[in-house]
Amino acid sequence: MPTTKAARRYATALLELAKERDEVDELLSDIEYIHNTLEGSRELVLFLQNPVINFDDKTQALQKIFFDELEEPTKLFLKLLSRKDRINLLDQVTEAFIEKYKEYAGIITVEVFVARELNSEQQELLHKNLEQKTQKKVDMNITVDEELKGGMAIRIEDTVIDGTVKHKLKELEESLLTTVE
């Protein structure tokens, strides 16, 4: 689901508050905990998004689920979302906050597609090389896709570097077909 403007505004405000109070790492930990919980429970997301359920019930549910694990500023933020009847945006707010944090911390997300599983040494070397090339901290996600035949494809924001065997074979096929015509 795309992130709404309202969710991005709440996420931005929360990050700015965390920076002012020098509590960015603590807040990030809380938000990641909430985000992971929501990602793991579609039922909870649907419950929070349900307009029939009143905000008091939603607030009570969140208190029972999260409040033992969260820092005080995060608890207050959840109460604010409930009071403003925006708790239905919680999954989007957590996602937007993590994105905003990555921007703030200079971290980029890199998607890597490989034909075979990389061992830890290969992953470490790839991670190090990506950080050197991009001059940023890299959050690397690796996906194994056996249809690639070999090699790897790397997506950094809007740029794709495709060094897969599947891609090379397709290029070869296209070049052979154009020479035949």
Side-chain angles (χ1 to χ4, degrees), residues 68-109:
D68 289 341
E69 307 294 326
L70 302 178
E71 299 291 326
E72 195 60 34
T74 312
K75 293 176 187 177
L76 293 173
F77 181 72
L78 291 178
K79 288 178 183 177
L80 172 72
L81 285 179
S82 291
R83 259 196 325 275
K84 297 287 185 181
D85 201 21
R86 293 295 203 170
I87 204 67
N88 60 317
L89 299 176
L90 184 59
D91 60 326
Q92 294 179 40
V93 172
T94 60
E95 195 169 308
F97 181 88
I98 292 168
E99 287 174 20
K100 296 283 183 189
Y101 171 80
K102 285 180 178 181
E103 276 178 36
Y104 164 73
I107 300 170
I108 59 170
T109 300

Side-chain angles (χ1 to χ4, degrees), residues 38-175:
L38 292 172
E39 273 195 339
S41 176
R42 177 92 176 116
E43 296 81 15
L44 180 56
V45 173
L46 293 174
F47 172 80
L48 294 174
Q49 292 175 345
N50 190 331
V52 176
I53 300 169
N54 69 34
F55 81 94
D56 287 332
D57 292 338
K58 292 176 184 180
T59 303
Q60 286 178 344
L62 289 174
Q63 286 176 344
K64 288 179 182 173
I65 295 169
F66 293 119
F67 275 40
D68 289 341
E69 307 294 326
L70 302 178
E71 299 291 326
E72 195 60 34
T74 312
K75 293 176 187 177
L76 293 173
F77 181 72
L78 291 178
K79 288 178 183 177
L80 172 72
L81 285 179
S82 291
R83 259 196 325 275
K84 297 287 185 181
D85 201 21
R86 293 295 203 170
I87 204 67
N88 60 317
L89 299 176
L90 184 59
D91 60 326
Q92 294 179 40
V93 172
T94 60
E95 195 169 308
F97 181 88
I98 292 168
E99 287 174 20
K100 296 283 183 189
Y101 171 80
K102 285 180 178 181
E103 276 178 36
Y104 164 73
I107 300 170
I108 59 170
T109 300
V110 175
E111 300 291 331
V112 178
F113 303 92
V114 294
R116 289 181 293 128
E117 190 76 38
L118 299 177
N119 64 37
S120 59
E121 187 178 306
Q122 291 169 323
Q123 288 181 24
E124 200 173 296
L125 183 61
L126 178 60
H127 189 266
K128 182 179 169 188
N129 285 334
L130 287 169
E131 284 187 340
Q132 286 176 344
K133 295 289 184 198
T134 61
Q135 297 293 306
K136 294 186 177 193
K137 295 177 193 167
V138 170
D139 180 17
M140 188 171 71
N141 299 322
I142 299 175
T143 304
V144 177
D145 182 358
E146 293 178 2
E147 289 183 14
L148 299 177
K149 311 282 187 231
M152 73 175 59
I154 300 172
R155 183 181 326 144
I156 303 171
E157 295 173 348
D158 295 337
T159 305
V160 177
I161 303 162
D162 196 339
T164 62
V165 172
K166 181 180 180 181
H167 177 71
K168 298 294 182 193
L169 288 172
K170 185 175 181 170
E171 283 181 337
L172 179 61
E173 177 186 27
E174 288 173 5
S175 106

